Amino acid sequence: MIKLALAGNPNSGKTTLFNDLTGASQYVGNWPGVTVEKKEGRVKGDKDIHLVDLPGIYSLSPYTLEEVVSRNFLINEKPDAIINIVDATNLERNLYLTTQLVELGIPVIIALNMMDIIKKKGEIINTKKLEEQIGCKVVEISALKGEGTKNLITEAKKVSIEKKKIDIKHTFDVKVEGSLSEIKEIIKGKVKEDLLHWYSIKLYERDGKVLETITLSKEDKKSIETIIEKSENEFDDDSESIITNERYTYITSIIDSCFKKRNNTLMSTSDKIDKIVTNRILAIPIFAIVMYLVYYISISTVGTAGTDWVNDVLFGENGIPGVIGNFLASVGAAQWLQSLILDGIVGGVGAVLGFLPQMLVLFLCLAILEDCGYMARVAFIMDRIFRKFGLSGKSFIPMLIGTGCGVPGVMASRTIENERDRKITIMTTTFIPCSAKLPIIALIAGALFPGATWVGPSAYFLGIAAIVCSGIVLKKTRRFAGDPAPFVMELPAYHIPGAKSVLIHMWDRAKSFVKKAGTIIFLACALIWFLQSFGFENGSFGMVEMDNSLLKSIGSLIAPLFAPLGFGDWKAAVATVTGLIAKENVVGTFGILYGFAEVAEDGAEIWTNVAAAFTPLAAYAFLAFNLLSAPCFAAIGAMHREFGNGKWTLFAVIYQCLLAYCTGLSIYQIGMFVTGHGFTILTAVAFLVVIGFIYLLFKPYSEKYDLSGKEALLNA
Ligand code: GDP
Ligand code: MG
């Protein structure tokens, strides 16, 4: 059994290579930070080789969680060899990690990826020279085209069997090397022999996490500190920067001798597109138009055609419900069982699945935008805006992933180094409509605003507005004060999206949706059906009319809470609560309560019934509340894991619900006032809420918090 670790910069093609080698279909995204956890698999056709896909990292310093995960894995689990995947189009940045990997005492082989692009550009990399200068084998590959990957495995196998120690070719400045030797003298025997060099560098850099792992006496620590200080005085720089500079000097010398850039002053097509797409003035309008089109296509046109078909034909009178109904009647199934299956399961789950076509179209559009490279630009554009409001542009990547599902979205917050930015991101990521909220948007748009194309996009922009406003307001509190972390992101070259990766991506998201429909939504629908079918009538418990059901009693208890938002109807209240289990349940509950079952009787379908139960204003308030309020249990669970702390989770959930409530209230009450329904005490409350919020938005930042950012963090 041979264990190989795949390490490299974010977006260097690790996952593409992993999929190519293992035949897996892991998610490939054209932006950094997609693989946050390591993934394992076996190599196709060579089952003895075990491959681990590590999260992307720029260095082995412990600044981000991924760096820590990757470093611990490499040091503690000692793979037989590291395949260091290097993006050949970005040698300088990628080799920075390489210079650190070769210090770990594990055989390293370099997979020089994206060679297809290099060749297309007509550039030349002298791999033989590169090998000589770094001291390990270099194999040219193109993970995307599957070129050279077999050869890579053959060579990696060779290297790991030989267990050939790398003789590190780069040396630091003599003075630095001198200090390192002195440190080595002190720690000799206290660390593993083959890691001696690495430890000496880490201690020289004052890496706290590494220091924790070895036991040193007080005197030892003191002498090491003296060595470092002396060196820092010599270089007039801090020790960490000294090492970084040294590495870059070395890398520059490698690149000078191995890399022939083509001397062209012409801009590449990618650059030309970027000139327009990331233009200061045009960027936002272009983004708005693109997102508008995406939602327009998926919710208003193409997707709707599919959904109409599913609703009218597949789940229509002569479709599935009819067939199942006839079957149940013919086998003489009990009345309650017929009701459970038709009203509960088919009604509820069917209502949710009806939106699958719209979602497939949305996922397809998003997948194409991601894969071609546009979404990476969006993160870049958003950084400019977010930064103005004290948020990091890095927050946008979790949000992007959150358009599929909030759970991985929240998890993607791990790429953010700064603790405060990370926390704000965890709190706000789920404001973006995830795929499960899409059916709610589509239902409200279809039922109450037929023909209107603005509802879908408006939900998306409402989510972004909630995030930006939250960022502004929260950053003014003691807990979150401080500057956002810098955001460095490589913009990948545009490319025509690959059909395979787009489809995998679309299917990935759709799969979890369908799976949920079959499990959690199925159960919830059965429960809702039970509660709405049973209750007390004339003092005895049994099947009753909906008006006497347990569900109505429960719903009527909560309903008054939502009356100020315009949807004090118990059915809407129940739907909102079931949405906490999974957002798809909102529509599922509507399916049961406003009934597919009645389709056969009065010819009305669910949309008509929903339309009759809401005014457009109330419906939009309902939509806003459900979009912004606490996410489903799964996402709350993910938030809890990422916060690692119940107090924070509670704070976040309360904040989300409060914001959702205030938004719903303002939309409904002010809307009522504007449309001439008079001024009531609730109108006054709504105006106060809006004024209060505007005050919070424009209140100046408090200087004293900026200074105490660190302290605020400690208190948190
Ligand atoms: P990771 O973040 O390192 O896992 O990178 P991914 O595997 O997600 O790939 C990032 C992007 O680079 C994707 O859009 C890939 O399609 C693209 N990519 C990966 N390998 C190659 C390659 O060899 N050539 C080209 N042209 N693109 C590649
Ligand atoms: Mg990846």
Side-chain angles (χ1 to χ4, degrees):
M1 195 73 179
I2 295 174
K3 187 146 84 178
L4 299 177
L6 214 53
N9 282 192
N11 225 28
S12 59
K14 286 181 309 305
T15 307
T16 311
L17 179 62
F18 181 83
N19 288 349
D20 181 77
L21 292 176
T22 61
S25 47
Q26 293 291 352
Y27 184 86
V28 176
N30 200 353
W31 70 70
V34 170
T35 314
V36 281
E37 279 176 331
K38 61 179 202 294
K39 307 233 163 69
E40 306 189 25
R42 292 194 179 189
V43 171
K44 252 190 316 195
D46 203 338
K47 297 281 178 213
D48 285 346
I49 303 183
H50 193 84
L51 204 61
V52 183
D53 182 18
L54 295 173
I57 45 176
Y58 292 113
S59 85
L60 287 179
S61 39
Y63 292 125
T64 66
L65 270 161
E66 298 120 301
E67 286 169 353
V68 176
V69 168
S70 301
R71 185 164 105 175
N72 287 349
F73 177 84
L74 293 173
I75 290 178
N76 301 333
E77 300 196 26
K78 282 226 160 239
D80 295 299
I82 301 171
I83 297 180
N84 173 210
I85 179 157
V86 165
D87 174 357
T89 63
N90 257 310
L91 276 180
E92 185 167 19
R93 200 198 58 206
N94 278 252
L95 288 177
Y96 184 66
L97 177 66
T98 309
T99 62
Q100 301 179 47
L101 289 173
V102 295
E103 286 161 358
L104 290 173
I106 303 170
V108 175
I109 174 164
I110 293 180
L112 200 57
N113 193 28
M114 315 251 183
M115 282 310 286
D116 54 323
I117 300 181
I118 294 288
K119 287 194 183 123
K120 211 162 112 197
K121 281 197 200 159
E123 294 173 344
I124 293 166
I125 297 177
N126 186 336
T127 32
K128 275 278 150 290
K129 255 201 182 135
L130 194 61
E131 267 174 12
E132 276 163 30
Q133 302 223 3
I134 301 179
C136 57
K137 181 83 195 156
V138 177
V139 181
E140 295 183 12
I141 64 163
S142 164
L144 191 68
K145 308 214 151 127
E147 287 164 7
T149 51
K150 283 226 167 61
N151 183 26
L152 174 68
I153 285 296
T154 318
E155 292 293 338
K157 219 166 149 180
K158 241 191 249 163
V159 169
S160 48
I161 291 170
E162 282 170 11
K163 291 233 171 295
K164 205 178 116 210
K165 268 198 77 166
I166 300 171
D167 70 284
I168 302 171
K169 298 285 182 187
H170 69 271
T171 45
F172 299 111
D173 184 282
V174 272
K175 282 182 254 166
V176 178
E177 287 292 340
S179 308
L180 293 179
S181 304
E182 286 174 45
I183 296 178
K184 281 180 201 164
E185 281 309 314
I186 299 174
I187 58 172
K188 215 177 204 152
K190 291 168 186 134
V191 297
K192 280 189 221 126
E193 178 60 32
D194 49 352
L195 282 176
L196 189 62
H197 185 60
W198 186 77
Y199 270 108
S200 68
I201 298 171
K202 288 294 132 184
L203 290 179
Y204 179 81
E205 289 178 316
R206 293 202 186 85
D207 186 318
K209 289 226 166 61
V210 167
L211 192 62
E212 281 168 22
T213 60
I214 45 178
T215 32
L216 289 174
S217 67
K218 246 206 183 102
E219 289 83 68
D220 285 347
K221 282 186 193 160
K222 221 163 163 187
S223 0
I224 291 176
E225 188 53 41
T226 325
I227 297 168
I228 302 172
E229 269 166 23
K230 192 175 129 233
S231 186
E232 286 179 328
N233 284 335
E234 274 170 356
F235 283 88
D236 194 22
D237 205 348
D238 67 287
S239 63
E240 216 183 324
S241 312
I242 299 174
I243 295 283
T244 308
N245 286 336
E246 291 283 318
R247 287 193 199 280
Y248 275 114
T249 316
Y250 164 65
I251 291 168
T252 314
S253 77
I254 295 180
I255 292 179
D256 284 347
S257 67
C258 305
F259 183 54
K260 256 220 186 69
K261 216 180 166 113
R262 238 187 79 194
N263 229 353
N264 64 354
T265 38
L266 281 176
M267 261 201 288
S268 70
T269 324
S270 242
D271 292 340
K272 278 186 214 150
I273 300 176
D274 276 342
K275 259 219 127 104
I276 302 167
V277 164
T278 63
N279 177 288
R280 267 184 193 280
I281 300 160
L282 293 177
I284 294 296
I286 292 178
F287 173 59
I289 291 170
V290 168
M291 283 330 276
Y292 180 85
L293 278 179
V294 164
Y295 273 79
Y296 176 71
I297 292 172
S298 50
I299 295 199
S300 305
T301 55
V302 184
T304 315
T307 291
D308 283 349
W309 180 81
V310 173
N311 282 341
D312 299 344
V313 182
L314 202 58
F315 285 99
E317 227 172 309
N318 301 317
I320 292 176
V323 174
I324 295 182
N326 289 341
F327 170 76
L328 289 173
S330 72
V331 297
Q335 195 60 42
W336 68 266
L337 187 64
Q338 290 196 27
S339 169
L340 167 64
I341 292 177
L342 283 178
D343 305 344
I345 309 302
V346 176
V349 177
V352 176
L353 282 184
F355 290 101
L356 192 59
Q358 286 179 327
M359 293 190 12
L360 286 178
V361 178
L362 178 75
F363 294 157
L364 185 71
C365 294
L366 290 178
I368 292 173
L369 287 184
E370 272 162 26
D371 202 45
C372 74
Y374 180 65
M375 282 306 194
R377 271 75 187 178
V378 172
F380 175 74
I381 299 163
M382 286 321 242
D383 182 54
R384 279 203 304 241
I385 303 175
F386 277 19
R387 184 163 297 281
K388 283 201 188 99
F389 302 122
L391 280 167
S392 160
K394 269 202 168 178
S395 308
F396 196 70
I397 288 160
M399 286 160 206
L400 223 48
I401 299 176
T403 53
C405 172
V407 174
V410 167
M411 271 166 64
S413 66
R414 288 184 199 175
T415 49
I416 299 169
E417 296 92 355
N418 182 307
E419 195 60 23
R420 288 174 304 237
D421 293 348
R422 213 165 79 80
K423 287 208 160 98
I424 288 202
T425 308
I426 299 172
M427 279 180 68
T428 53
T429 293
T430 58
F431 285 148
I432 286 285
C434 68
S435 63
K437 290 173 186 167
L438 194 70
I440 313 180
I441 303 173
L443 177 71
I444 297 292
L448 272 305
F449 304 93
T453 58
W454 55 269
V455 182
S458 79
Y460 194 83
F461 290 110
L462 185 68
I464 294 188
I467 291 167
V468 170
C469 293
S470 298
I472 300 173
V473 170
L474 290 174
K475 276 278 175 179
K476 286 175 188 170
T477 63
R478 194 181 161 80
R479 239 164 225 227
F480 293 104
D483 285 332
F487 176 59
V488 194
M489 179 164 166
E490 203 63 42
L491 293 181
Y494 287 102
H495 65 152
I496 307 282
K500 187 175 160 224
S501 85
V502 166
L503 289 178
I504 285 176
H505 184 182
M506 176 179 99
W507 174 238
D508 241 21
R509 288 174 163 189
K511 194 172 62 188
S512 63
F513 180 78
V514 174
K515 211 161 100 195
K516 264 205 286 184
T519 51
I520 189 157
I521 297 166
F522 182 90
L523 288 176
C525 286
L527 179 72
I528 293 291
W529 169 83
F530 172 78
L531 289 174
Q532 67 103 31
S533 307
F534 285 82
F536 292 95
E537 216 165 37
N538 306 326
S540 65
F541 186 76
M543 267 185 109
V544 296
E545 284 296 306
M546 189 146 71
D547 272 347
N548 291 327
S549 66
L550 291 175
L551 194 64
K552 186 177 177 187
S553 325
I554 301 171
S556 306
L557 273 181
I558 332 166
L561 193 62
F562 296 115
L565 279 62
F567 52 101
D569 175 34
W570 69 271
K571 291 178 183 174
V574 168
T576 302
V577 173
T578 54
L580 278 181
I581 302 171
K583 291 286 168 192
E584 292 93 336
N585 272 329
V586 174
V587 168
T589 307
F590 276 155
I592 299 171
L593 297 183
Y594 292 102
F596 273 109
E598 282 149 42
V599 173
E601 290 161 26
D602 56 14
E605 53 163 326
I606 169 175
W607 284 17
T608 327
N609 291 341
V610 171
F614 286 91
T615 64
L617 207 52
Y620 200 81
F622 175 83
L623 180 64
F625 181 83
N626 275 286
L627 288 181
L628 301 180
S629 68
C632 64
F633 283 156
I636 297 178
M639 280 162 58
H640 183 70
R641 269 199 310 280
E642 296 304 318
F643 279 133
N645 164 335
K647 221 170 67 189
W648 270 98
T649 315
L650 188 69
F651 173 66
V653 167
I654 291 176
Y655 174 77
Q656 291 166 340
C657 289
L658 200 68
L659 183 72
Y661 196 87
C662 292
T663 310
L665 181 81
S666 314
I667 290 176
Y668 183 69
Q669 293 299 342
I670 296 180
M672 287 296 275
F673 174 68
V674 171
T675 50
H677 288 79
F679 193 93
T680 65
I681 190 129
L682 282 171
T683 324
V685 174
F687 273 112
L688 281 180
V689 165
V690 172
I691 292 168
F693 198 73
I694 292 176
Y695 167 73
L696 285 178
L697 279 181
F698 289 100
K699 176 178 103 158
Y701 282 92
S702 168
E703 288 298 329
K704 74 172 191 272
Y705 290 152
D706 279 349
L707 296 172
S708 63
K710 224 183 199 153
E711 179 206 341
L713 200 65
L714 291 176
N715 292 341

